[in-house]
Amino acid sequence: MFAAIAVALVAGLLSWAYQTTKPPPPKICGSPGGPPITSPRVKLSDGRHLAYREMGVPKEEAKHKIIVIHGFDSSKDLSLPVSQETLEELSIYFLFFDRAGYGESDPYPSRSVKSEAYDIQELADQLQIGSKFYVIGLSMGAYPVYGCLKYIPHRLSGASLVVPFVHYWWPSLPANISREGFQTLCTADQRTFQVAHHTPWLFYWWMTQKWFPSLSIMAGNMDLFSPPDMEIIKKLSETPIVGQEKVRQQGVHESLHRDILAGYAKWEFDIMDISNPFPDKEGSVHLWQGYEDRIIPLQINRYIAEKLPWIHYHEVPDAGHLMLFKTELCEAILRALLLG
């Protein structure tokens, strides 16, 4: 009898453990019981949909077509502080889109650095913006830019990595540089990224358990933001953020968790294997790092720029993680990308 009880207890514990690691099914836009579709979307070759938003000069007239890749917990509705005068002067067409699982774009359980790059290429082709385009990746949205540089460099007119994501387990990253950058993170974030990289099958459990703190930015830890960031947050708070309620609507796991898992997975390539996409200087790649950034450690991005000298490195002294939302810095980033 005792053996039977023990077996039942073990079976129950295993069943409970399995359930805690299994994320809930997504609430897919347009499906019964799911959120409504309110934005234009394209259908990809694998049947998934990507939602998008256009801004600026009409694409048929624009000299510069830029695809903007949003960061963590964001969407195509992010608002760049670019005046109409600047848009017309530089003849810019902007294409924003919800990355897989975010907003109104269908989830993709197999999302990766590679899939994000090909999503961007297919989006550009479906909307017929031309054979070449620029990409700007913000924070977590920078790993798709690295994917573009690796997998579709022939499609790029230029690229800008703004306060870009760093992977602490890139093989070519020296241990001391990785360690120095990693130790700038709080303990909760260190553990979260370690779980994402080493035991991704446990990630949903880790992000939903209540015993230990997980990701500090999701817990609302404002210490992550430097004084320059807080000034920008204060200014942004004066205007309602459009579309923020849609960011996670298909499920936190499908949007935020899978974003982290894709970024910190083992990539098919090492960052140092990326070749200069513009050997004849017909375009340029830029990396923008805020000296006051408390989210992205500058040590690692400095090292990348030193080892890949074709990347134009810009370290801004009085800027933090939100530099793209400061008008003069946003314009400087655009002008450097488009005009050199």
Side-chain angles (χ1 to χ4, degrees), residues 229-293:
D229 286 330
M230 292 306 296
E231 289 180 16
I232 293 171
I233 289 172
K234 182 180 178 182
K235 185 175 181 181
L236 291 175
S237 67
E238 297 170 359
T239 307
I241 301 176
V242 177
Q244 188 63 29
E245 74 284 355
K246 298 179 184 178
V247 171
R248 310 179 185 184
Q249 66 181 352
Q250 297 184 96
V252 173
H253 185 74
E254 297 305 327
S255 51
L256 310 191
H257 297 177
R258 289 202 191 279
D259 201 6
I260 296 171
L261 288 169
Y264 286 108
K266 184 178 179 181
W267 293 14
E268 290 184 350
F269 63 94
D270 184 75
I271 193 167
M272 295 302 165
D273 294 337
I274 300 175
S275 301
N276 181 2
F278 308 113
D280 299 322
K281 299 183 179 180
E282 68 276 25
S284 57
V285 179
H286 298 262
L287 194 161
W288 294 80
Q289 173 72 45
Y291 186 78
E292 301 292 333
D293 194 334

Side-chain angles (χ1 to χ4, degrees), residues 24-255:
K27 300 175 181 178
I28 298 174
C29 287
S31 66
I37 300 168
T38 62
S39 302
R41 308 199 304 175
V42 298
K43 187 173 182 179
L44 305 179
S45 56
D46 64 2
R48 288 183 295 120
H49 296 85
L50 290 184
Y52 66 91
R53 177 174 71 91
E54 299 169 292
M55 171 185 158
V57 175
K59 60 189 175 188
E60 297 80 10
E61 303 170 14
K63 182 179 179 183
H64 303 111
K65 287 96 176 254
I66 304 176
I67 299 179
V68 180
I69 308 164
H70 67 79
F72 185 75
D73 205 7
S74 185
S75 74
K76 68 182 184 310
D77 294 312
L78 72 88
S79 179
L80 296 183
V82 185
S83 67
Q84 186 63 32
E85 291 78 11
T86 299
L87 290 174
E88 293 175 0
E89 175 199 346
L90 299 178
S91 189
I92 297 173
Y93 160 84
F94 278 123
L95 176 56
F96 301 84
F97 73 103
D98 290 331
R99 295 193 285 126
Y102 277 104
E104 296 180 59
S105 287
D106 290 340
Y108 186 42
S110 301
R111 68 189 289 194
S112 64
V113 177
K114 188 175 188 177
S115 73
E116 297 259 314
Y118 285 116
D119 280 0
I120 290 167
Q121 175 174 249
E122 194 166 353
L123 175 68
D125 289 342
Q126 293 257 9
L127 294 179
Q128 299 180 335
I129 68 170
S131 60
K132 285 183 175 286
F133 46 84
Y134 296 86
V135 288
I136 296 178
L138 174 62
S139 189
M140 202 73 182
Y143 76 75
V145 174
Y146 284 124
C148 290
L149 290 169
K150 176 63 178 179
Y151 296 112
I152 57 167
H154 58 288
R155 300 299 305 272
L156 302 180
S157 298
S160 192
L161 300 134
V162 183
V163 293
F165 157 93
V166 295
H167 195 313
Y168 301 96
W169 295 276
W170 277 321
S172 60
L173 199 61
N176 63 315
I177 299 292
S178 176
R179 184 168 53 250
E180 185 181 353
F182 196 65
Q183 288 175 350
T184 66
L185 306 176
C186 67
T187 302
D189 291 351
Q190 291 180 11
R191 289 172 177 164
T192 297
F193 298 151
Q194 286 171 329
V195 172
H197 180 68
H198 295 294
T199 54
W201 55 275
L202 269 179
F203 195 68
Y204 175 72
W205 169 82
W206 174 258
M207 295 299 290
T208 54
Q209 54 78 33
K210 305 300 181 185
W211 298 321
F212 306 101
S214 52
L215 195 63
S216 56
I217 197 166
M218 290 183 66
N221 183 0
M222 298 306 289
D223 290 338
L224 289 171
F225 298 104
S226 62
D229 286 330
M230 292 306 296
E231 289 180 16
I232 293 171
I233 289 172
K234 182 180 178 182
K235 185 175 181 181
L236 291 175
S237 67
E238 297 170 359
T239 307
I241 301 176
V242 177
Q244 188 63 29
E245 74 284 355
K246 298 179 184 178
V247 171
R248 310 179 185 184
Q249 66 181 352
Q250 297 184 96
V252 173
H253 185 74
E254 297 305 327
S255 51

